[in-house]
């Protein structure tokens, strides 16, 4: 749910790196032989990503034939494990702002996820634009299923823009303890299809529950500080503090569960007037 810049490194550079000291000669030879096809596939991938037609890409890609296992090996036996390949892997991974997983916006990005699965698209196994930093949880949750149509296509952090307005919102339930419920508020310029995709992404990665659990922990942790600030300075100062905290989260990563929580707390008359003491 966070937008990242497309990696600057190309598939040609990735292929050169993974074959540099590859001991398995047949693999190395086949990867080198297919590098021009990988370059052609990269051009098609970038165009389809920008056009929002990645779900239609498989028909346009060069056929893999019997080279699938070699191309997949370029990832597992090259990009992940070889020295030169790992440098490129780490370079792509470093695209995640503050190591935050762009898919959930919560976990630490420690792996690369194939946006289009390498088992279905071996020609894209080491295409940098198809490799997205992700936390382990999101990476495992992603299936190797090919998206059938546009609404089935999960958000792509390199190509899908969620705009610059707040679309992730939280609602505070005035319970004891207080809890936060998260939801997507569609941006004004979102199409119905794009809205469906965002909601699907939100559901697919279990973000409603993940964010609510994380918020419960943060509410418990911040309670004493907020209670003290309310006692010392009053509800207006507490509201200002929460708004400034939300702005801080916004400045680092845009829409985040923490920022949405701070905004919701600032908007809650119940909370800023002492609701935290009921936790
Ligand atoms: Zn994640």
């Amino acid at each position: 749910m966070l937008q990242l810049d497309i990696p600057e490194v190309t598939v040609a550079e990735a292929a050169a790196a993974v074959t540099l000291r590859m001991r398995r000669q047949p693999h190395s030879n086949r990867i080198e032989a297919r590098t021009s096809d990988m370059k052609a596939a990269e051009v098609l991938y970038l165009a389809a990503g920008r056009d929002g037609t990645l779900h239609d890409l498989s028909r346009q890609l060069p056929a893999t034939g019997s080279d699938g296992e070699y191309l997949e090996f370029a990832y597992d036996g090259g990009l992940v494990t070889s020295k030169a390949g790992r440098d490129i892997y780490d370079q792509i991974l470093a695209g995640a702002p503050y190591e935050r997983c762009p898919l959930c916006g919560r976990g630490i990005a420690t792996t690369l996820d194939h946006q289009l699965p390498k088992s279905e698209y071996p020609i894209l196994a080491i295409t940098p634009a198809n490799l997205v930093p992700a936390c382990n949880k999101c990476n495992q949750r992603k299936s190797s299923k090919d998206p059938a149509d546009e609404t089935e296509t999960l958000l792509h952090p390199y190509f899908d823009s969620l705009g610059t307005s707040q679309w992730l919102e939280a609602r505070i339930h005035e319970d004891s303890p207080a809890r936060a419920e998260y939801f997507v508020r569609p941006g004004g310029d979102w199409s119905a299809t794009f809205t469906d995709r965002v909601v699907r992404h939100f559901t697919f990665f279990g973000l409603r529950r993940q964010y609510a659990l994380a918020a419960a922990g943060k509410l418990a942790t911040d309670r004493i500080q907020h209670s003290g600030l309310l006692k010392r300075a009053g509800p207006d100062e507490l509201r200002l503090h929460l708004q400034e905290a939300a702005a801080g989260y916004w400045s680092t990563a845009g829409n985040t569960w923490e920022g949405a929580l701070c905004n919701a707390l600032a908007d809650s008359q119940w909370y800023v007037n002492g609701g935290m003491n009921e936790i």
Side-chain angles (χ1 to χ4, degrees):
M1 311 286 273
L2 305 176
Q3 194 174 8
L4 308 186
D5 292 334
I6 301 170
E8 288 179 6
V9 63
T10 65
V11 75
E13 292 168 303
V18 301
T19 53
L20 192 61
R21 290 198 174 80
M22 191 173 275
R23 291 205 183 93
R24 295 197 195 186
Q25 209 59 41
H27 293 65
S28 175
N29 289 345
R30 291 316 303 157
I31 294 164
E32 282 171 356
R34 297 306 297 270
T35 298
S36 62
D37 282 337
M38 286 193 269
K39 286 165 69 177
E42 180 181 53
V43 171
L44 292 168
Y45 185 94
L46 290 169
R50 292 190 174 106
D51 292 347
T53 56
L54 281 171
H55 54 282
D56 273 339
L57 186 63
S58 59
R59 286 179 290 165
Q60 305 167 42
L61 292 174
T64 305
S66 57
D67 286 334
E69 68 168 294
Y70 301 112
L71 295 170
E72 286 193 56
F73 183 80
Y75 182 77
D76 297 316
L79 210 66
V80 177
T81 49
S82 78
K83 168 75 178 74
R86 191 72 195 190
D87 286 346
I88 290 180
Y89 183 102
D90 289 341
Q91 188 183 326
I92 298 169
L93 193 57
Y98 301 98
E99 300 183 332
R100 199 182 270 255
C101 169
L103 300 177
C104 63
R106 183 172 169 236
I108 303 292
T110 53
T111 68
L112 293 181
D113 177 65
H114 288 84
Q115 182 77 13
L116 292 179
K118 68 179 186 304
S119 56
E120 299 280 331
Y121 298 83
I123 200 79
L124 298 170
I126 58 167
T127 301
N130 191 43
L131 298 171
V132 176
C135 69
N136 263 324
K137 203 170 183 176
C138 286
N139 200 350
Q140 285 168 12
R141 203 181 275 253
K142 279 272 302 290
S143 69
S144 55
K145 191 169 169 285
D146 201 6
D149 56 34
E150 189 177 352
T151 55
E152 265 203 16
T153 310
L154 295 168
L155 296 177
H156 197 315
Y158 297 147
F159 298 108
D160 288 313
S161 172
L162 292 159
T164 53
S165 57
Q166 187 182 347
W167 54 263
L168 177 62
E169 293 202 352
R171 184 183 298 126
I172 302 301
H173 288 263
E174 300 173 2
D175 297 336
S176 180
R179 61 190 174 87
E181 181 186 1
Y182 284 83
F183 57 96
V184 172
R185 186 179 66 179
D189 56 347
W190 292 8
S191 68
T193 305
F194 189 69
T195 301
D196 286 348
R197 286 185 61 212
V198 177
V199 171
R200 186 172 189 281
H201 185 104
F202 203 71
T203 305
F204 182 88
F205 287 105
L207 300 186
R208 187 183 304 274
R209 180 173 159 72
Q210 275 202 58
Y211 291 171
L213 287 172
K218 186 166 168 57
L219 283 165
T221 308
D222 291 348
R223 184 178 72 85
I224 291 174
Q225 186 198 23
H226 291 172
S227 177
L229 184 55
L230 174 64
K231 202 184 283 181
R232 288 192 305 276
D236 289 344
E237 278 300 314
L238 174 57
R239 186 181 298 109
L240 191 61
H241 166 79
L242 289 163
Q243 288 166 342
E244 286 174 348
Y249 287 115
W250 183 270
S251 70
T252 57
N255 283 274
T256 61
W257 67 270
E258 299 102 317
L261 177 65
C262 291
N263 274 326
L265 291 173
D267 290 343
S268 168
Q269 290 298 329
W270 170 78
Y271 189 82
V272 297
N273 283 292
M276 81 290 293
N277 293 321
E278 296 179 26
I279 293 174

